Amino acid sequence: DVVMTQSPLSLPVTLGQPASISCRSSQSLVHSDGNTYLNWFQQRPGQSPRRLIYKVSNRDSGVPDRFSGSGSVTDFTLTISRVEAEDVGVYYCMQATHWPPGLTFGGGTKVEIK
Amino acid sequence: EVQLVESGGGLVKPGGSLRLSCAASGFPFSDAWMNWVRQAPGKGLEWVGRIKTKTDAETPAYAAPVKGRFTISRDDSKNTLYLLMNSLKTEDTAVYYCRGVTATNDYWGQGALVTVSS
C-alpha cells in the first residue's frame, strides 16, 4: 500500500515568514489518466478539515494566494509565502491516485507561531 | 450555504452497532462522491470509505480496518449519506466526518463523535 510521509511533524514559524511542508509518497502518484491526485488540507484547532490544494497545485476557491502547492511523482510541497496567525493548525497531504487502498493521508504537520 | 450535518453519534459497547447520518444541502448532492473520514482523539485523519454517484454505479469502497463491518449508503431523494457500523471495536472511537467531493469543490461536515467503550 502507498504510504504518505510528511515532514516536519511540527513547524514553528515567525509571523510574516515563509513555511514549507514536505510530503513524500512511497509510490508514484501519477495516475494512468495523466493526473496526479495529491491534495492538501488544513485543520484549524477545533475545526473540520478544509481542502486547500487539489491535484498538486490547484488552489480551492477562497484559499488565499499565499498558499501554493508544488511537486511531482513522489515529492510534494505545500508552501505558505507569509504565515499569518490564522494559518495555525495541522496540515495533511492526501493521495487519491491508488485504488485500492483508497484515500491515504499523511500523518500531519502542526504549524504554530513562534 | 453549503451544509453537511452529521448525526447519530454516541456511546456504544464493543460489539454493538450504530448508524450515522449526514444531511447535505446547498450543493448538488446527487453529483457528489461522498466519503466518511474519521479522526481518533488526538490523532490524524483516516479515510473510512467512499460511495460514488448513482450514475457511476460502482460499489462502495472501504478501508481495510472497517471492511466487512461498515456499510456506506446514500439516499439522493433525501440528500443524505449513511454509515452503518457493526461489530464496533474500541479502536473505532473517533470523530466521524462526512466529506462530499464534486468536480470543483470539497465539503466537510462538523463531525459526529462515536465512542466505543464498555
Side-chain angles (χ1 to χ4, degrees):
Chain A
D1 287 356
V2 60
V3 177
M4 306 297 292
T5 303
Q6 288 184 233
S7 62
L9 291 180
S10 177
L11 183 58
V13 295
T14 301
L15 288 174
Q17 293 300 302
S20 289
I21 299 170
S22 170
C23 175
R24 290 183 171 165
S25 60
S26 60
Q27 302 175 34
S28 168
L29 296 187
V30 180
H31 194 274
S32 56
D33 66 7
N35 289 305
T36 300
Y37 295 101
L38 186 284
N39 299 337
W40 288 96
F41 295 85
Q42 174 195 61
Q43 187 175 31
R44 291 169 171 156
Q47 294 188 13
S48 302
R50 162 200 184 196
R51 194 178 70 182
L52 300 175
I53 302 285
Y54 62 96
K55 288 194 284 186
V56 182
S57 59
N58 297 277
R59 246 188 328 270
D60 273 279
S61 174
V63 174
D65 61 8
R66 64 179 181 274
F67 289 94
S68 63
S70 62
S72 63
V73 190
T74 60
D75 290 334
F76 305 93
T77 302
L78 176 70
T79 300
I80 310 173
S81 60
R82 295 172 305 279
V83 172
E84 298 189 5
E86 67 179 18
D87 300 335
V88 165
V90 181
Y91 292 78
Y92 297 92
C93 61
M94 184 204 78
Q95 73 85 26
T97 294
H98 294 279
W99 288 87
L103 307 181
T104 312
F105 290 93
T109 295
K110 185 174 184 178
V111 171
E112 55 188 10
I113 304 300
K114 281 182 183 175
Chain B
E1 180 194 7
V2 171
Q3 281 197 311
L4 287 171
V5 180
E6 299 94 338
S7 60
L11 175 63
V12 61
K13 288 182 168 51
S17 298
L18 207 59
R19 189 181 82 157
L20 301 182
S21 300
C22 171
S25 60
F27 70 98
F29 179 78
S30 60
D31 293 337
W33 290 12
M34 299 301 297
N35 295 261
W36 288 99
V37 177
R38 69 185 180 182
Q39 187 169 36
K43 302 296 185 183
L45 301 173
E46 180 186 24
W47 175 73
V48 172
R50 179 197 73 186
I51 186 167
K52 290 187 175 181
T53 65
K54 287 286 190 288
T55 304
D56 290 317
E58 185 178 296
T59 57
Y62 300 94
V66 308
K67 195 169 185 179
R69 299 188 297 123
F70 289 13
T71 302
I72 297 174
S73 60
R74 64 190 298 161
D75 185 339
D76 290 348
S77 69
K78 295 181 179 179
N79 284 356
T80 302
L81 175 73
Y82 301 99
L83 178 66
L84 175 61
M85 302 181 288
N86 293 323
S87 303
L88 282 161
K89 306 175 181 180
T90 55
E91 53 263 41
D92 295 320
T93 294
V95 173
Y96 285 73
Y97 295 100
C98 66
R99 173 189 177 226
V101 185
T102 65
T104 54
N105 289 290
D106 187 279
Y107 308 110
W108 291 70
Q110 86 288 348
L113 176 61
V114 173
T115 303
V116 184
S117 174
S118 55

